[in-house]
Each structure stands twice: as C-alpha cells, then as structure tokens.
Amino acid sequence: MEEPLRLSEYDYELPPELIAQEPIEPRDAARLLVLDRHTGRIEHRIFREIGDYLQPGDLLVVNDSRVLPARLFGRRATGGQVELLLLQARSDGHWEALARPARRLRPGEVIAILPRESEHAQPAPATIVERLEEGRVLVQLPPEVLDALDRYGHMPLPPYIRRALRDPERYQTVYARELGSVAAPTAGLHFTPELLERLQRSGVGLARVTLHVGLGTFKPVQVEDARQHRMHAEWYHVPAETLAAIRSTREQGRRVVAVGTTSARTLESIPDRLDESGELTGWTDLYIVPGHRWRVVDALITNFHLPRSTLLLLVSSFAGRELIFRAYREAVERGYRFYSFGDAMLIL
C-alpha cells in the first residue's frame, strides 16, 4: 500500500504582489529560471535566450489548443445573476458547465444569456437540463450563442487575475488553432513567431499536440492525501507526424521538450503507442504525482504554479519536491512573476 501523499507538503507562501496581473510585453521578455534536475544548478535568464539550452535535434512539443470565450453571464427570471463557464460539449448537443450559483438552478429553468456590452445582440435563452456534481450543470445553448460565442462569451481568465485584458489574443499562444480550451496552456504564451523561427533555424524541431484544457487541469485538490484526488478527463489529439517526430528524436538520442504541463500530460498518456503509424485521439485522466515514471518527456517548459495544485505536483514529480521548492523560494526572493501571466521555468 502506497504511503499518503500529503498535500500540506506542497504548500508555500507567495506575496500577493508577485501574482502577475497582465502579460509582459513583448511575450519573450519574461524571465526564465533554468533548473537542472541532475546537478541542482539554477540559472536566471530571459525567455528569448532559451535557445542557449536547446540543441539541434531536440523537439519542442506544443499544445495548439485555442481558448474558447467560454465565460457566459446570464440573468434568471427572478433577476438574479448567473455565471456559466463552458467546459465541454456533449454528444447530445448539451454543454457541461460550471455554474454560479449552481445550487439555486433547477432543471427546466431558462436563463437569459447576455451579450457582451460592446455588442448589439439581444439576450438569448438557455435551458438548464440537469444539475451535476461539483457545481456543474448541463445546459442547452441556443444556436445564436454557439454560432457567435465572441459576441456573448468572455475570455475565462483565472480568478486571481483582477484586471481586464486589453487584448484577448494575449491569452492565446501564437500557435493556437484548435478551439476548445477553457484555460490557456500558459507556458506557451512566452513564445513569439520570431523566437520559434529562430529555434527552428538552429535545428530545433517543432511538433504539435492538442489537449483541450478543461476541469481536469485546474480543479483544486481538496483531499489531504493527494493520491485520492481524481482528474476529470480531457480530450487530446496527437497527429501522426508528431508521433514520427518523437520517434526520430528518440532514435537520434535527442530530447523531447514538452511546452507546458498539458503537452507533458498528453505525451505521458501515450508511451506505449509511440510506434503506431496513425494519429491518436482519446481522453486522458492521467494524474501525474511524485512517483510517476516519466517515459516520453525529457525536459519541460512551464510556469510557476499555485500551491497545493495538481500542476505543482506534476512538476515536483519531474524534478523532485525539494529541488522544485528550492527553485520556487529563489524565484520569490528574486521577485519573479507567478501564475498564468508570470515568468517561466525550464527544467532540464
């Protein structure tokens, strides 16, 4: 029987002023903490210098999922306000959504979905189909909302970001193209087209996967034994050319570098299928915690994560808890910016 994984050991204090409230300009001007998990060495650089640590033949694997304007605001017949965060579409056309206040909503109730202030569209009726667990509901959205989410939906920024985003594209990676996430794969926000082009000219490969970020990625851990937490499944796609690129990289003895925890989870979900010739699609509820045996990812680009989160557990699995916490302490001391719009870490 495995020993409990104590969530309280993955907590840390962060001064509120270090929570980044807006993205840095330009994207690749973010700071970069470079952590060597074998020697324990820590270096401090700028993200645009990341090529100094990548070698010809290394393969960057990015998540090209694009963020939905998935945050909807509505009004009940009583006048009460409702907020819906779309999570994923069901095969029957209904949407699974986080709702506030979920407990007050009843099946059959009709909500008036409000357009964005800058738009001239009329409120549109949405019907609550079913109440689910953990604050979720099934909702039937009218075509006028689904066909024009940009008129009704708002970018679903995390709750710790309190400033409005002037340019919604700054919460998208420059290579985002497959619409379906409710949160950005934020490690990739630091790349610019020019940086990617420069890396590729130097011989670094670039491959894509898609993992649509849903409740699994950001659902908080609420049990002290973190092993008892259960991940919600998220949909992924790995193109055949990405599988071929990974095989070639491994045959040459080069490194597979995951850009972000979502790319890492996708790759670690398919270690026994790398030799298949076709594309891979499916759902993954892989939960990576200390003790996980990493089989595909050799290096990881990531941001600085919330305390007591599945993402902090994942990076601690990759580099070891003590080393990660030493790096985090040094980042706090040096005033790094944390979380979604914050600075980056390269773990070698």
Side-chain angles (χ1 to χ4, degrees):
M1 183 176 177
E2 290 182 307
E3 291 186 4
L5 182 63
R6 299 187 186 282
L7 187 64
S8 54
E9 295 181 357
Y10 293 84
D11 202 354
Y12 67 91
E13 293 291 329
L14 181 69
E17 62 269 20
L18 295 186
I19 300 175
Q21 292 298 308
E22 55 190 9
I24 199 166
E25 294 293 348
R27 289 174 182 255
D28 59 1
R31 297 168 73 182
L32 177 68
L33 186 150
V34 183
L35 175 64
D36 188 314
R37 56 191 173 133
H38 298 300
T39 66
R41 183 178 180 184
I42 295 174
E43 296 181 69
H44 302 279
R45 303 291 292 270
I46 302 299
F47 193 84
R48 67 172 65 97
E49 300 169 342
I50 196 168
D52 291 349
Y53 299 89
L54 302 176
Q55 302 164 0
D58 286 346
L59 181 68
L60 287 175
V61 181
V62 302
N63 179 8
D64 66 3
S65 183
R66 188 169 175 82
V67 184
L68 287 162
R71 195 177 180 198
L72 301 175
F73 294 95
R75 188 171 54 237
R76 305 176 71 193
T78 60
Q81 294 183 336
V82 176
E83 180 181 339
L84 298 175
L85 178 63
L86 303 182
L87 295 175
Q88 64 188 49
R90 294 280 188 94
S91 57
D92 56 8
H94 298 150
W95 277 80
E96 186 178 319
L98 278 176
R100 291 194 304 180
R103 292 182 180 179
R104 297 182 185 177
L105 300 178
R106 297 288 180 267
E109 183 174 355
V110 177
I111 306 296
I113 302 298
L114 305 175
R116 294 167 58 95
E117 291 180 7
S118 59
E119 300 293 336
H120 301 293
Q122 296 297 312
T127 304
I128 303 300
V129 177
E130 182 182 350
R131 279 201 317 187
L132 306 173
E133 297 176 341
E134 300 174 320
R136 294 171 298 135
V137 297
L138 275 187
V139 60
Q140 182 177 0
L141 294 170
E144 56 264 39
V145 171
L146 291 176
D147 294 343
L149 263 181
D150 55 338
R151 288 189 199 164
Y152 288 88
H154 301 250
M155 199 57 71
L157 296 178
Y160 49 77
I161 295 177
R162 312 217 188 289
R163 296 181 193 168
L165 191 59
R166 290 189 294 270
D167 178 9
E169 281 301 304
R170 286 301 273 108
Y171 196 55
Q172 306 278 12
T173 62
V174 296
Y175 44 75
R177 64 184 185 187
E178 301 295 337
L179 195 64
S181 280
V182 299
T186 54
L189 294 178
H190 306 292
F191 284 100
T192 64
E194 295 77 16
L195 176 56
L196 288 170
E197 183 180 346
R198 190 162 70 246
L199 291 172
Q200 289 177 277
R201 283 202 309 266
S202 72
V204 175
L206 181 67
R208 297 170 180 261
V209 297
T210 304
L211 182 132
H212 288 325
V213 181
L215 189 58
T217 292
F218 61 85
K219 180 189 174 188
V221 181
Q222 297 176 318
V223 288
E224 172 57 19
D225 181 359
R227 295 190 197 282
Q228 302 306 312
H229 176 77
R230 292 291 173 262
M231 295 285 283
H232 284 256
E234 295 168 315
W235 184 87
Y236 70 85
H237 171 239
V238 182
E241 55 266 30
T242 295
L243 290 175
I246 293 171
R247 289 195 296 269
S248 175
T249 300
R250 291 158 70 94
E251 288 166 1
Q252 296 174 44
R254 297 303 187 184
R255 296 173 298 182
V256 175
V257 183
V259 178
T261 56
T262 57
S263 296
R265 283 186 60 234
T266 303
L267 296 176
E268 290 297 312
S269 295
I270 60 165
D272 297 322
R273 304 186 66 187
L274 294 178
D275 291 332
E276 296 186 22
S277 57
E279 65 181 11
L280 303 179
T281 60
W283 294 82
T284 180
D285 59 359
L286 179 65
Y287 178 33
I288 298 178
V289 299
H292 173 78
R293 183 164 71 94
W294 290 80
R295 298 172 62 188
V296 182
V297 176
D298 301 303
L300 176 64
I301 300 170
T302 187
N303 280 19
F304 293 90
H305 303 294
L306 275 72
R308 305 169 70 94
S309 64
T310 60
L311 303 180
L312 184 58
L313 291 166
L314 184 150
V315 296
S316 297
S317 164
F318 192 66
R321 179 194 175 280
E322 296 306 317
L323 195 52
I324 286 292
F325 272 70
R326 179 158 69 84
Y328 272 51
R329 285 193 297 271
E330 192 160 323
V332 169
E333 291 168 1
R334 289 174 175 255
Y336 273 66
R337 302 161 74 248
F338 276 60
Y339 304 166
S340 293
F341 286 145
D343 295 315
M345 176 187 282
L346 169 63
I347 307 176
L348 298 171

